[in-house]
Amino acid sequence: MDAIRLRGGNRFSGVIPIAGAKNAALPLMAASLLTDEPLRLANLPGVADIASMKNLLVTHGVAVANGEAAGEASFDASGVRDTTAPYDLVRRMRASVLVLGPLVARFGRARVSLPGGCAIGTRPIDLHLEALRRLGAEIDLVDGYVEARAPRRLAGADFTFPSVSVGATENALMAACLARGESVLRNAAREPEIVDLGRCLIAMGATIEGLGTDVLSIQGTDRLRGARHRVIADRIEAGTYAIAASMAGGDVTLEGANPETLRALLDTLAGSGVEIAENGDRLRVVSPGGNTAGMDLVTQPYPGFPTDLQAQIMSLTTVASGASRITETIFENRFMHVPELLRMGADIRVRGATALIRGVSRLKGAEVMATDLRASVSLILAGLVAEGETVVNRIYHLDRGYESIEAKLAACGADIERIAAPA
Ligand code: UD1
């Protein structure tokens, strides 16, 4: 597996183009299953998870054609012949489960492998299943597969999620668009990626109210049509580079970002002494580097501080002046970056879901590895400011979610290279 080698200490200045949001693109691609007309998406990021979702859709019989411009593709689900999502594809990417709602809503049946264990906690799919059952799907678990049937179409329902789930909200929202009658989804997730999905569904002919709030009302219809849609900017990618600039010191402009979707992070950075300037879709981050102030933060569903930026902000606190406290409330076991940061000289103590961090004056380069996407990138950020050389192994996870990461960092002055695994 490839590794990334970097030498810390350079200032970080330049312009970084922000890619389309992976977490918006994945449900949008699954939504193509809702119609027999082509769905044309633009601004798809060039990351491995997008390729995995394309593979899964092709397995179902969706015709996928890449457009002329990078990031454009059309998805034509008029010839779907197979409603099974096999274990081998689902196990590699949990978001594969997003095909469940669209398949059962349009074809009255779906067979989707259970995602299985995951490095950042148990991550069950009970909320997805509960919502689809409430919409009238009959669901059995057979040999590790979810078997869902709705021979006489799904029926609108009023459902309150017992806890907030991004994926379950997306699955239920897509399914409800093709159900008979009205559905109301309460305690729904409000992430910008869900708003983006809702806008695309509306362009496909759906009637949805309440996007961006925690109550979604959907008027079901018999048929959706094709549409064109541009995926929103990746707030997690933008946030990651904003943190990189804050740590390393420098002056970075993130182009094509959406600062509105990053409010919790930008307020946190501004509160710790980083200068943030917003100008439309350009976000400028100016930082002296190193000794930003400590912070106290808790991850929350949107609009709270995103769990997907928790590992990265923890890297920043390891070199902040003074102490910080970070509490993770979304996923259990999402502190896997901690032992690796300790190996680089960080001072972190974990008590349950809370990490207490004392800033040190300098991290030291080391050989490290991580077992999930955001943990991996947090080690890259630590390496950018560490003394000497850092090698981050098993970067397979990074490639799942960050487009051209070493090129984007190198363009801002980072001393970074990819080392290809021996063939
Ligand atoms: C999505 C994001 C992921 C992000 C997460 C939280 C995508 C492709 N992934 O993941 O990057 O970290 O939101 O912002 O968009 N849960 C259950 N039962 C369920 C579903 C979830 O108990 O049926 C729990 C999870 O274990 C977790 C919490 O609910 O503790 C939130 O998970 P959820 O919002 O569903 O995350 P994902 O949609 O998987």
Side-chain angles (χ1 to χ4, degrees):
M1 238 174 267
D2 290 1
I4 278 184
R5 179 162 51 204
L6 60 166
R7 289 194 157 272
N10 290 2
R11 278 178 77 75
F12 195 64
S13 293
V15 177
I16 301 183
I18 297 305
K22 165 182 88 74
N23 285 355
L26 293 171
L28 286 164
M29 291 165 75
S32 69
L33 289 165
L34 291 165
T35 171
D36 60 2
E37 292 180 14
L39 177 64
R40 294 191 169 83
L41 297 176
N43 206 28
L44 294 167
V47 299
D49 272 7
I50 297 301
S52 299
M53 186 57 110
K54 281 183 182 171
N55 278 345
L56 176 59
L57 293 172
V58 166
T59 303
H60 290 308
V62 176
V64 178
N66 290 331
E68 277 174 20
E72 281 180 11
S74 84
F75 301 85
D76 178 342
S78 57
V80 167
R81 50 175 189 267
D82 188 342
T83 51
T84 294
Y87 174 67
D88 203 40
L89 292 175
V90 179
R91 122 191 116 75
R92 264 181 255 173
M93 186 182 59
R94 192 185 140 77
S96 306
V97 78
L98 292 171
V99 300
L100 181 61
L103 284 173
V104 72
R106 179 156 156 236
F107 301 101
R109 60 177 195 281
R111 192 167 166 268
V112 175
S113 171
L114 286 165
C118 168
I120 56 169
T122 46
R123 294 182 100 181
I125 57 163
D126 55 317
L127 299 171
H128 300 239
L129 304 187
E130 225 176 294
L132 293 173
R133 277 198 178 109
R134 191 62 67 88
L135 290 166
E138 292 162 25
I139 294 180
D140 294 307
L141 300 182
V142 184
D143 300 335
Y145 277 76
V146 176
E147 295 194 350
R149 282 174 310 281
R152 287 177 304 284
R153 246 182 105 184
L154 295 176
D158 191 316
F159 179 69
T160 303
F161 287 98
S163 60
V164 180
S165 161
V166 174
T169 300
E170 291 165 346
N171 240 332
L173 172 62
M174 290 188 278
C177 288
L178 284 184
R180 250 180 297 119
E182 191 184 352
S183 296
V184 182
L185 303 175
R186 303 177 197 273
N187 198 25
R190 295 187 274 167
E191 269 63 7
E193 293 75 20
I194 293 174
V195 176
D196 199 35
L197 172 65
R199 289 201 181 122
C200 179
L201 292 168
I202 290 170
M204 292 165 74
T207 306
I208 303 170
E209 275 171 32
L211 284 176
T213 75
D214 63 356
V215 180
L216 298 172
S217 306
I218 303 112
Q219 194 63 51
T221 174
D222 293 354
R223 225 182 142 255
L224 292 172
R225 52 177 186 265
R228 283 175 188 276
H229 182 82
R230 184 177 168 81
V231 179
I232 55 168
D234 196 321
R235 63 194 168 100
I236 306 301
E237 188 199 26
T240 300
Y241 293 130
I243 294 172
S246 305
M247 286 171 78
D251 182 345
V252 162
T253 298
L254 306 174
E255 236 173 27
N258 182 349
E260 225 25 78
T261 60
L262 273 168
R263 197 53 58 210
L265 172 73
L266 299 182
D267 289 351
T268 301
L269 293 178
S272 70
V274 176
E275 224 179 284
I276 308 276
E278 298 171 27
N279 181 4
D281 71 351
R282 291 167 74 88
L283 179 61
R284 185 166 167 209
V285 182
V286 183
S287 164
N291 47 4
T292 49
M295 55 187 70
D296 187 355
L297 61 88
V298 180
T299 60
Q300 297 281 359
Y302 192 82
F305 193 94
T307 175
D308 283 351
L309 287 173
Q310 180 258 110
Q312 299 91 313
I313 201 81
M314 192 181 296
S315 276
L316 180 146
T317 62
T318 64
V319 289
S321 62
S324 299
R325 178 166 62 180
I326 298 179
T327 303
E328 170 62 52
T329 70
I330 309 293
F331 292 107
E332 83 258 32
N333 194 19
R334 205 178 195 179
F335 282 148
M336 280 153 341
H337 39 289
V338 170
E340 303 300 300
L341 290 170
L342 291 178
R343 300 185 59 239
M344 297 178 73
D347 179 351
I348 307 170
R349 270 178 305 150
V350 174
R351 294 233 178 87
T354 298
L356 300 168
I357 306 106
R358 276 183 197 287
V360 295
S361 55
R362 203 75 206 260
L363 294 175
K364 292 210 164 49
E367 191 157 343
V368 289
M369 84 174 199
T371 45
D372 87 65
L373 172 57
R374 310 303 171 184
S376 309
V377 86
S378 76
L379 301 175
I380 302 265
L381 299 187
L384 286 179
V385 300
E387 206 174 281
E389 185 177 284
T390 295
V391 175
V392 182
N393 290 308
R394 288 177 65 97
I395 55 161
Y396 146 82
H397 289 286
L398 266 187
D399 293 332
R400 287 186 41 209
Y402 287 90
E403 182 181 279
S404 317
I405 183 163
E406 67 274 29
K408 289 185 183 185
L409 291 173
C412 289
D415 182 349
I416 183 169
E417 64 176 335
R418 178 176 293 245
I419 318 165

